[in-house]
Amino acid sequence: MVSKFVFGNPIRTKAVIEEIAPADFSIMNPLLKFSEDKSSFTIDLLPDDSIYGLGESLHGMNKRGFIYVSNNTDQVHHDENQYSLYGSHNFVLLNRFKGLKLGLFVDYPAKTTFDIGFTDKDVMKVSVEEPDYTLYVVEGDSALSIITEFRKIIGKSYKAPLWGFGYGQSRWGYKCTEDILKVVEEHKRLNLPLDSVYMDIDYMQDYAVFTINPERYHYFEDFVKKMKEEHIHLVPAIDPAVKRLKGYFVYDEGVENNYFCKDEEGNDFPVAVWPGLAHLPDFFKPEVKKWFGQKYKLFTDVGIDGFWNDMNEPAIFYSSKSIKAAADKLATLKDKTETLNLSELWDYLDTASGLANNAEDYKSFYHEIDGKKVRHDRVHNLYAFNMVEGISKEFKEIAPDKEILFFSRSSYVGQHRYSGIWTGDNSSYYSHIKLILSQLPGLNMNGFLYVGADTGGFAFNVSEPLLMRFMQISMFTPLFRNHCALGCRDQEIYNFKDIDSFRNMLNLRYALIPELYRIYNDCIENSKLMFTPLALAYPDDRACLDVDDQLMLGDDYMIVPVYEANATGRYVYLPEDMTAYVLKSDKDYKTVNMEKGYHHIDIALNELVIFVKKGKELKLSKPANNTALL
Amino acid sequence: MVSKFVFGNPIRTKAVIEEIAPADFSIMNPLLKFSEDKSSFTIDLLPDDSIYGLGESLHGMNKRGFIYVSNNTDQVHHDENQYSLYGSHNFVLLNRFKGLKLGLFVDYPAKTTFDIGFTDKDVMKVSVEEPDYTLYVVEGDSALSIITEFRKIIGKSYKAPLWGFGYGQSRWGYKCTEDILKVVEEHKRLNLPLDSVYMDIDYMQDYAVFTINPERYHYFEDFVKKMKEEHIHLVPAIDPAVKRLKGYFVYDEGVENNYFCKDEEGNDFPVAVWPGLAHLPDFFKPEVKKWFGQKYKLFTDVGIDGFWNDMNEPAIFYSSKSIKAAADKLATLKDKTETLNLSELWDYLDTASGLANNAEDYKSFYHEIDGKKVRHDRVHNLYAFNMVEGISKEFKEIAPDKEILFFSRSSYVGQHRYSGIWTGDNSSYYSHIKLILSQLPGLNMNGFLYVGADTGGFAFNVSEPLLMRFMQISMFTPLFRNHCALGCRDQEIYNFKDIDSFRNMLNLRYALIPELYRIYNDCIENSKLMFTPLALAYPDDRACLDVDDQLMLGDDYMIVPVYEANATGRYVYLPEDMTAYVLKSDKDYKTVNMEKGYHHIDIALNELVIFVKKGKELKLSKPANNTALL
């Protein structure tokens, strides 16, 4: 049962699409204790209470023990001290062992804080900036039925085309079509499956959105066609900010039609992103959504059928306002170099390092929502939502017969109806293998089914074994994209030594795709989790509460990725008798029947293990080098 | 057998104290393949080869799969992408399963790089900046005998007084004696054991070394005496840099006698650290060692008998030279705010963020070594060594009857004869519990036995369960100090809820101290490891190779800390039949006999588990609230 409680005057978010009549506060579950102004509530936690949800957030599957702040942030450091990542996914589930289960969705588009047993180990505290929000309380018999009920009120998830499950190669730094061609040819030469190559910001002319560099990406239409003949999809990145340049068509149209976010005085607010100074489209205005979405026709008309929206938190390197203030301040350092004290030094350093994604900038520009001026920070977490929603709608018009692959970096609940997401700029860290494992169930709970992390890690250099272990988790996620940052070690498979093992893993992926796609579709249609924590799948088994590094996949499988350097095996807990498939490839594998309980299992670097419930079997199809050939 | 190979003209380091005649290169172990100029060598690795050592470094106990750079660095971010920490501990051990064991010590005081199967997963490559170094190759029948042989040539480790094993409370931010008094009184009120309170930089007058703020730390001598009566040792931090201030005795003496490091022209080189602009004593000169060491008399005379040397990499916030260049550059930003391109932006930001510990600064000042001018970067990793060696020598003169507790942040091999170290500025991260576990055996191999990490984590906020789990690893390390940074959440035990459990853990520590101190002394006397990886203790057991999160403690015990949030148990591998002591306190515990093999064991948040070999028992003494009462 879903109860909807409205506090103050919330800004409408469109996260929930089912019409639900507001309930009277008197029927609020007494477990929730509210502050007087209703801007926060607490729940007392029992020792065995675990909390799930919060989608793209840090730490383990069980969110207890940390603080999380929903505040969409371009955050390249996914370290234990960070509170915010790219998305805001405010559904949490209280899982009381052999007791109450409770779903809570805090529908609020500004900063929302979940202190889950951090400040006080026995208390969860949820707070918003201003008491204008809608709280959905979902009650039910089981955690999974509560999740399904919540998923139903937020609507069906976006469905990606089958080729979106193929292997994709990406990097920031493919300077020209020749670089892309090399990727395709090397995969072909080494008989490595491939479905897509991603084009990062490099393809644009001076990073101006909806342009293509005519010298480095020449004969683009022909190139797209040529790639299509080889069943390779090119997937360009699209950023929201529009370069400030007179004569550039997108800029001119935006200025002329008042499409950009304004400062307090009503002038277009200049922010710097990749193209230098730029303006942010005000995606809260219907006409802006339409205008920006229609621009994708420039790509769909030449055969492009996949896009990723990057930088749409929106990320801001600096604003004209903030850099002027910083420059003025930094200029004063000259007179102080001999007398500087430490607080002044930190202040100077903070001035520089604080330019990007500065809270003050987010308070300095405005949207027009239903004719009213609304300061950005009040609706910050909805920026990407509105961008994606708008584009998705236009896809139906500009490419009515096409299934478009579409995913975003930033997100809010509800956006799952229009796109997938990837988990942003992770790093080439072993701990980030575990991180994606931890994020998957929370993302699914919040509606996001087409998800994946940068395989191999975005930032920093990868090693060959790390890339291999990363592949063995990406193996199971709908999006499977090897992506890394400019300046990092070449991360394409063909730069490493044991190509046979990489090929075996990719073949396994392609042999799994039909089954993964079936599960994915089932989860869309029936509002289910593709990835389920064992604690929710086996609610009466106390041992499952501690299992934070295994996941149920669909109804029949359990995955147990290896995420430690040099490990040649790992521990697993079996909540029931299962069969271990120990796979070197789709052809070379053995099965071992294992009993419910704790085990240690060997998993060599070139092996993947999938557990299958008794009486079920692992459905492997014949692999191919491309989903079109499956 | 130790073979010593001398390449080029190495700078003498004093790491090795045994006289060993250089061997001819023709007898070099053929496993090592040298580059032509001998500035690097490689070793081909087999799949099951593991590498141990490198002391204070990141990643697991088995160092394979990453790059490590010995380059003493004030590095607050102990993340997976970092190469250098505070110490340089260049002894590594190649452990070939059921095969060759080989110890290598690269005695070289500048940057030394260990690429251990990172760039090429099957190759370890060691390289130095210039081919002037000494390589010790230690061969033997077993890993442990090789380690003992290496430890013997580097000399016996520093022995801390018993009270150095007591619980210490520290924080950056105890502003005055009242703050310290509160710590002592709260521990007393709650019946919590305590042996020491640490004084961070706050106690000084304007951060000038060897001063005491007369207002906030008034009647200091009386205060020390009063604390001593309660068996509380006050342990001040001493930094190397001397505030540039005419009339300040340390500065005046330093200038007058040419005690400070010089720039190329021979002027005292100004660097900024806590006291603002300051000069670095040139500890490579014997007279400077003596002078600085004698200054400790100001403290020992009033009853202080413990010190920690901080910031002695040396950490440099900026130099006069670098900040002037930075200020000039940053001043130009004013003219560019409208036209800035991204590479210019990054350049400005790097200018600010690159001020601290800048490689150029380390190339801009000089030491005098045996009458010769030597650029700092060529001997960088020896700076702390010389500081500590000098002070240690003076202790014998200024406090001949006292056992001084003495540890340092930065270090080089050989320094272990004079002091302990702590592992620097870690964070309140669960992963940093595992980090200290990983560092312990490598530190021991490199001679450092008196070691410990900041319990609870230095940077960022701690949670109560995290502090508890941190205590359960610090429980076993000689240094057990709760320490945290200014601005972080209060981390003293009395700020949390379950005081009984904290008290139980502290009582356990004190009940263990006699046994820990016995083991510690045995390891000093017999050049043994206090903490041994299972792979080295059980070399024929393949399963032990994968055990990267358990350690043998002394000869009879095995420790298995919990380092995952919300975990109420963990997996363990028993290399032989053992008894598990599951301890809530020194009085409330049970024992369980367990067989060799893989197990899962319950370990609640308020429990500690110690495994004891069959036929042995856990030696618990009667606890006390202070080591003086043991």
Side-chain angles (χ1 to χ4, degrees):
Chain A
M1 195 195 71
V2 183
S3 308
K4 174 181 176 177
F5 300 93
V6 178
F7 301 102
N9 293 299
I11 287 167
R12 191 174 155 238
T13 69
K14 301 195 232 174
V16 171
I17 52 170
E18 198 173 295
E19 287 293 336
I20 302 170
D24 192 84
F25 188 68
S26 63
I27 69 148
M28 176 66 73
N29 189 309
L31 218 58
L32 284 70
K33 294 174 204 148
F34 283 78
S35 63
E36 206 179 309
D37 72 350
K38 306 287 193 288
S39 68
S40 71
F41 63 86
T42 60
I43 293 178
D44 290 338
L45 300 177
L46 301 182
D48 272 351
D49 285 357
S50 52
I51 309 287
Y52 297 86
L54 292 182
E56 187 182 271
S57 55
L58 292 167
H59 309 296
M61 269 173 229
N62 177 0
K63 311 314 290 182
R64 188 165 177 172
F66 300 95
I67 293 174
Y68 310 83
V69 179
S70 292
N71 182 35
N72 295 355
T73 302
D74 174 15
Q75 178 53 271
V76 74
H77 300 292
H78 300 187
D79 299 328
E80 287 182 54
N81 64 318
Q82 296 298 336
Y83 297 139
S84 304
L85 293 178
Y86 309 83
S88 291
H89 307 142
N90 292 349
F91 175 79
V92 289
L93 180 108
L94 166 65
N95 179 52
R96 181 152 290 175
F97 183 61
K98 292 195 175 174
L100 172 109
K101 322 289 174 191
L102 195 65
L104 300 170
F105 175 55
V106 183
D107 192 10
Y108 180 66
K111 216 193 261 189
T112 313
T113 301
F114 298 82
D115 179 340
I116 306 182
F118 179 84
T119 302
D120 182 325
K121 68 187 174 64
D122 307 315
V123 174
M124 168 159 106
K125 181 176 181 182
V126 180
S127 37
V128 296
E129 301 274 284
E130 290 170 302
D132 299 304
Y133 64 106
T134 307
L135 174 66
Y136 295 87
V137 180
V138 194
E139 285 156 302
D141 291 339
S142 73
L144 296 181
S145 68
I146 285 172
I147 291 165
T148 292
E149 191 155 5
F150 173 65
R151 285 272 301 280
K152 279 181 179 159
I153 68 167
I154 60 171
K156 258 190 204 177
S157 304
Y158 159 79
K159 181 180 163 186
L162 181 71
W163 70 264
F165 277 60
Y167 181 62
Q169 180 59 53
S170 184
R171 100 164 273 143
W172 170 20
Y174 291 144
K175 298 175 307 298
C176 52
T177 48
E178 287 73 18
D179 284 355
I180 290 180
L181 208 56
K182 187 189 167 188
V183 171
V184 176
E185 282 171 356
E186 287 292 276
H187 280 77
K188 209 197 283 182
R189 183 176 70 81
L190 294 169
N191 199 22
L192 295 165
L194 187 71
D195 262 79
S196 52
V197 182
Y198 290 78
M199 293 157 53
D200 207 329
I201 48 169
D202 320 278
Y203 75 85
M204 290 182 255
Q205 174 74 48
D206 302 324
Y207 307 123
V209 64
F210 303 121
T211 68
I212 291 166
N213 187 301
E215 281 153 35
R216 296 184 287 99
Y217 279 81
H218 49 172
Y219 305 115
F220 186 65
E221 186 165 357
D222 292 345
F223 185 63
V224 176
K225 207 172 282 170
K226 186 180 164 186
M227 291 289 100
K228 263 284 155 69
E229 281 161 15
E230 313 210 26
H231 306 300
I232 300 297
H233 300 259
L234 295 181
V235 186
I238 307 278
D239 293 354
V242 174
K243 186 175 176 65
R244 200 178 67 169
L245 179 69
K246 270 192 191 140
Y248 158 47
F249 68 111
V250 188
Y251 172 76
D252 290 345
E253 290 169 22
V255 171
E256 202 179 301
N257 298 294
N258 269 318
Y259 286 162
F260 297 133
C261 294
K262 309 286 186 191
D263 66 14
E264 200 162 7
E265 285 77 39
N267 304 308
D268 293 339
F269 187 71
V271 298
V273 206
W274 296 115
L277 283 173
H279 293 306
L280 292 166
D282 183 358
F283 290 115
F284 288 79
K285 293 165 95 170
E287 63 272 29
V288 176
K289 283 177 165 159
K290 183 160 195 72
W291 165 71
F292 199 88
Q294 282 287 330
K295 287 275 174 286
Y296 279 67
K297 198 166 183 299
L298 294 165
F299 289 100
T300 53
D301 279 356
V302 299
I304 296 287
D305 54 4
F307 299 93
W308 45 309
N309 281 355
D310 203 350
M311 306 294 285
N312 54 349
E313 293 71 27
I316 296 177
F317 294 159
Y318 58 84
S319 69
S320 277
K321 183 183 161 188
S322 66
I323 199 148
K324 274 177 199 140
D328 284 348
K329 179 156 193 187
L330 291 170
T332 67
L333 178 59
K334 262 186 104 159
D335 304 324
K336 296 204 172 173
T337 55
E338 289 292 301
T339 60
L340 208 57
N341 66 40
L342 286 175
S343 57
E344 288 172 313
L345 174 67
W346 304 156
D347 195 31
Y348 280 112
L349 299 182
D350 290 349
T351 298
S353 67
L355 273 170
N357 310 315
N358 187 300
E360 279 310 304
D361 278 338
Y362 291 123
K363 289 179 186 167
S364 300
F365 64 94
Y366 294 80
H367 298 285
E368 190 187 305
I369 303 180
D370 301 330
K372 274 191 290 192
K373 189 170 137 183
V374 178
R375 206 172 73 184
H376 174 78
D377 62 312
R378 303 230 158 90
V379 289
H380 175 71
N381 296 337
L382 283 179
Y383 188 79
F385 175 101
N386 280 291
M387 178 186 188
V388 163
E389 184 198 35
I391 295 160
S392 170
K393 197 173 164 198
E394 298 314 310
F395 280 159
K396 293 197 185 79
E397 203 173 291
I398 62 177
D401 307 323
K402 275 189 184 161
E403 282 188 288
I404 306 271
L405 178 70
F406 189 33
F407 59 91
S408 168
R409 190 168 74 180
S410 186
S411 57
Y412 187 79
V413 173
Q415 188 175 324
H416 68 283
R417 300 191 296 270
Y418 311 110
S419 80
I421 53 174
W422 93 101
T423 56
D425 297 346
N426 64 353
S427 296
S428 296
Y429 289 176
Y430 278 92
S431 61
H432 286 185
I433 297 176
K434 181 134 184 263
L435 180 60
I436 174 66
L437 187 75
S438 305
Q439 289 174 331
L440 287 169
L443 289 167
N444 284 183
M445 288 176 206
N446 279 276
F448 292 93
L449 289 180
Y450 188 79
V451 291
D454 287 348
T455 304
F458 177 73
F460 312 118
N461 297 325
V462 79
S463 69
E464 179 165 346
L466 176 58
L467 178 60
M468 182 62 86
R469 292 304 193 193
F470 246 114
M471 290 190 75
Q472 292 166 356
I473 172 75
S474 296
M475 175 73 64
F476 300 107
T477 60
L479 171 66
F480 184 177
R481 178 176 75 143
N482 180 336
H483 182 45
C484 75
L486 189 71
C488 295
R489 180 182 191 176
D490 289 342
Q491 198 165 289
E492 299 83 5
I493 288 171
Y494 49 80
N495 297 294
F496 297 95
K497 289 168 77 177
D498 187 7
I499 302 294
D500 288 345
S501 294
F502 282 111
R503 185 187 308 109
N504 283 341
M505 287 299 133
L506 284 182
N507 282 341
L508 255 176
R509 164 69 173 201
Y510 278 74
L512 280 168
I513 283 178
E515 177 68 347
L516 289 173
Y517 202 61
R518 182 196 63 75
I519 295 169
Y520 170 73
N521 277 290
D522 176 38
C523 294
I524 294 174
E525 290 306 317
N526 298 300
S527 302
K528 286 160 60 179
L529 300 182
M530 190 164 168
F531 299 98
T532 308
L534 271 64
L536 304 190
Y538 299 87
D540 294 330
D541 185 344
R542 175 62 186 80
C544 286
L545 266 188
D546 261 27
V547 180
D548 220 44
D549 63 356
Q550 306 172 203
L551 281 172
M552 302 308 295
L553 163 62
D555 296 324
D556 302 336
Y557 308 126
M558 184 172 77
I559 63 170
V560 294
V562 175
Y563 52 85
E564 299 281 359
N566 302 307
T568 61
R570 59 160 285 174
Y571 292 98
V572 292
Y573 176 72
L574 268 57
E576 58 177 286
D577 295 355
M578 290 184 173
T579 302
Y581 282 68
V582 183
L583 307 114
K584 278 199 168 53
S585 76
D586 62 297
K587 283 166 207 76
D588 180 9
Y589 63 89
K590 59 175 185 185
T591 59
V592 188
N593 292 323
M594 289 168 70
E595 284 178 11
K596 173 176 157 67
Y598 296 107
H599 297 270
H600 184 279
I601 181 166
D602 291 337
I603 311 179
L605 184 58
N606 62 352
E607 287 176 340
L608 183 79
V609 167
I610 304 173
F611 283 92
V612 181
K613 284 185 184 171
K614 223 173 160 175
K616 305 288 178 178
E617 63 177 28
L618 180 65
K619 295 205 175 94
L620 290 173
S621 306
K622 193 171 172 297
N625 278 353
N626 189 284
T627 56
L629 309 173
L630 274 177
Chain B
M1 197 194 68
V2 184
S3 308
K4 173 181 175 178
F5 300 92
V6 179
F7 300 101
N9 294 299
I11 287 166
R12 192 173 154 238
T13 69
K14 300 195 234 175
V16 171
I17 53 169
E18 199 173 293
E19 287 293 335
I20 301 170
D24 190 84
F25 189 68
S26 63
I27 69 150
M28 176 65 74
N29 190 310
L31 217 60
L32 282 72
K33 293 176 202 147
F34 283 78
S35 64
E36 207 179 309
D37 73 350
K38 307 286 192 291
S39 68
S40 71
F41 63 86
T42 61
I43 293 178
D44 290 338
L45 300 177
L46 300 182
D48 273 351
D49 285 356
S50 52
I51 309 288
Y52 297 87
L54 292 181
E56 187 184 272
S57 56
L58 293 166
H59 309 295
M61 269 173 230
N62 176 0
K63 311 314 289 181
R64 187 165 177 171
F66 300 95
I67 293 174
Y68 310 84
V69 179
S70 291
N71 183 36
N72 295 356
T73 303
D74 175 15
Q75 179 53 270
V76 74
H77 300 291
H78 300 186
D79 299 327
E80 288 181 54
N81 65 318
Q82 296 297 336
Y83 297 139
S84 305
L85 293 177
Y86 309 83
S88 290
H89 307 141
N90 292 349
F91 175 79
V92 290
L93 181 110
L94 166 65
N95 179 52
R96 182 152 289 173
F97 182 61
K98 292 196 175 174
L100 172 110
K101 322 288 174 190
L102 194 65
L104 300 170
F105 175 55
V106 183
D107 192 11
Y108 181 66
K111 215 193 258 186
T112 313
T113 302
F114 298 82
D115 179 339
I116 306 183
F118 180 84
T119 303
D120 182 325
K121 69 188 173 61
D122 306 316
V123 174
M124 167 159 106
K125 182 177 181 182
V126 180
S127 37
V128 295
E129 300 274 282
E130 291 169 303
D132 299 303
Y133 65 105
T134 307
L135 175 67
Y136 294 86
V137 180
V138 194
E139 286 156 301
D141 291 338
S142 74
L144 296 181
S145 68
I146 286 172
I147 291 164
T148 292
E149 192 155 3
F150 173 66
R151 285 272 302 280
K152 279 182 179 161
I153 68 166
I154 59 171
K156 258 188 203 178
S157 303
Y158 159 80
K159 183 181 163 186
L162 182 73
W163 69 264
F165 277 60
Y167 180 62
Q169 180 60 53
S170 185
R171 100 163 274 144
W172 169 20
Y174 292 144
K175 298 177 306 297
C176 52
T177 48
E178 287 72 17
D179 284 354
I180 289 179
L181 209 56
K182 186 188 169 189
V183 170
V184 175
E185 283 171 353
E186 286 293 274
H187 280 77
K188 210 198 279 183
R189 183 177 69 81
L190 295 168
N191 199 22
L192 295 165
L194 186 71
D195 262 80
S196 53
V197 182
Y198 289 79
M199 294 157 52
D200 207 330
I201 47 169
D202 320 278
Y203 75 85
M204 290 181 254
Q205 173 74 48
D206 301 323
Y207 306 124
V209 62
F210 303 119
T211 68
I212 291 165
N213 187 302
E215 281 153 35
R216 296 185 287 99
Y217 278 81
H218 49 170
Y219 305 114
F220 186 65
E221 187 166 355
D222 291 346
F223 185 63
V224 175
K225 207 171 282 170
K226 187 180 165 186
M227 290 291 100
K228 261 286 155 66
E229 281 162 14
E230 313 210 26
H231 306 300
I232 299 297
H233 300 260
L234 295 180
V235 186
I238 307 279
D239 293 354
V242 174
K243 186 175 176 66
R244 201 178 66 170
L245 179 69
K246 269 190 192 142
Y248 158 46
F249 68 111
V250 188
Y251 171 76
D252 290 345
E253 291 168 20
V255 170
E256 202 178 302
N257 298 294
N258 269 317
Y259 286 162
F260 297 133
C261 294
K262 307 287 187 189
D263 66 14
E264 200 163 5
E265 286 76 40
N267 304 309
D268 293 341
F269 186 72
V271 298
V273 205
W274 295 116
L277 283 173
H279 293 308
L280 292 166
D282 182 359
F283 290 115
F284 288 79
K285 293 166 97 170
E287 63 271 29
V288 177
K289 283 178 165 159
K290 183 158 196 71
W291 165 70
F292 199 88
Q294 283 287 331
K295 287 276 173 289
Y296 278 68
K297 199 165 182 301
L298 294 165
F299 289 101
T300 53
D301 279 356
V302 300
I304 295 288
D305 53 5
F307 299 94
W308 44 309
N309 280 355
D310 203 350
M311 306 294 283
N312 55 348
E313 292 72 28
I316 296 177
F317 294 159
Y318 58 83
S319 69
S320 276
K321 185 183 158 186
S322 67
I323 198 148
K324 275 176 197 140
D328 285 347
K329 181 158 193 180
L330 292 170
T332 67
L333 178 60
K334 264 186 101 159
D335 304 323
K336 297 204 170 173
T337 55
E338 288 293 301
T339 59
L340 209 56
N341 66 40
L342 286 176
S343 56
E344 289 172 314
L345 174 66
W346 303 156
D347 194 30
Y348 280 113
L349 299 181
D350 290 348
T351 299
S353 67
L355 273 170
N357 310 316
N358 188 299
E360 280 309 304
D361 278 338
Y362 291 122
K363 290 179 186 168
S364 301
F365 64 94
Y366 294 81
H367 299 286
E368 189 187 305
I369 304 180
D370 301 330
K372 274 191 290 194
K373 189 170 137 182
V374 178
R375 208 172 73 184
H376 174 78
D377 63 314
R378 304 233 157 88
V379 291
H380 175 70
N381 295 337
L382 283 179
Y383 189 80
F385 175 100
N386 279 291
M387 178 186 187
V388 164
E389 184 199 33
I391 295 159
S392 170
K393 198 174 162 197
E394 298 313 311
F395 280 159
K396 293 197 184 80
E397 203 172 292
I398 63 177
D401 307 324
K402 275 189 184 162
E403 281 189 289
I404 307 272
L405 178 69
F406 189 33
F407 59 90
S408 168
R409 190 168 74 180
S410 186
S411 57
Y412 186 79
V413 173
Q415 188 175 326
H416 68 284
R417 299 190 297 269
Y418 311 111
S419 80
I421 53 174
W422 93 102
T423 56
D425 297 347
N426 63 353
S427 297
S428 297
Y429 290 177
Y430 279 92
S431 60
H432 285 186
I433 298 176
K434 182 133 182 264
L435 180 61
I436 175 65
L437 188 75
S438 305
Q439 290 175 331
L440 287 170
L443 289 166
N444 284 183
M445 288 176 206
N446 280 275
F448 292 93
L449 289 179
Y450 188 79
V451 291
D454 287 348
T455 305
F458 176 74
F460 312 119
N461 297 325
V462 79
S463 69
E464 179 165 345
L466 176 58
L467 178 60
M468 181 61 88
R469 291 304 193 192
F470 246 114
M471 291 190 75
Q472 292 166 357
I473 171 75
S474 296
M475 174 73 64
F476 300 107
T477 60
L479 171 65
F480 184 177
R481 178 175 75 143
N482 180 336
H483 182 46
C484 75
L486 189 71
C488 295
R489 180 182 191 177
D490 290 341
Q491 198 165 289
E492 299 83 5
I493 288 170
Y494 49 80
N495 296 294
F496 297 95
K497 290 168 77 179
D498 186 7
I499 302 294
D500 288 343
S501 294
F502 283 111
R503 184 188 309 107
N504 283 340
M505 287 299 133
L506 285 182
N507 282 342
L508 255 176
R509 164 70 172 200
Y510 278 74
L512 280 168
I513 283 180
E515 177 67 346
L516 289 172
Y517 202 61
R518 182 196 64 75
I519 295 170
Y520 169 72
N521 278 288
D522 176 38
C523 293
I524 294 175
E525 291 306 317
N526 298 300
S527 301
K528 286 160 61 179
L529 301 182
M530 191 164 168
F531 298 98
T532 308
L534 272 62
L536 304 190
Y538 298 88
D540 294 330
D541 184 344
R542 175 62 186 81
C544 286
L545 266 187
D546 262 27
V547 180
D548 220 45
D549 63 356
Q550 307 173 201
L551 282 172
M552 302 308 296
L553 164 62
D555 296 323
D556 301 336
Y557 309 126
M558 185 173 76
I559 62 169
V560 295
V562 174
Y563 53 86
E564 300 280 0
N566 302 306
T568 61
R570 59 159 284 174
Y571 292 98
V572 291
Y573 175 72
L574 268 56
E576 57 178 289
D577 294 355
M578 290 183 173
T579 303
Y581 283 67
V582 183
L583 307 114
K584 278 200 167 53
S585 76
D586 61 298
K587 284 168 206 73
D588 180 8
Y589 64 88
K590 60 174 184 185
T591 60
V592 188
N593 293 323
M594 289 168 71
E595 284 177 12
K596 174 177 157 67
Y598 296 107
H599 297 270
H600 184 278
I601 181 165
D602 291 337
I603 311 177
L605 184 58
N606 61 352
E607 287 176 341
L608 183 79
V609 167
I610 305 175
F611 283 93
V612 182
K613 285 185 185 172
K614 219 171 163 176
K616 306 286 178 179
E617 62 178 26
L618 180 64
K619 297 204 174 93
L620 290 174
S621 306
K622 192 169 174 296
N625 278 354
N626 189 284
T627 56
L629 309 172
L630 275 178

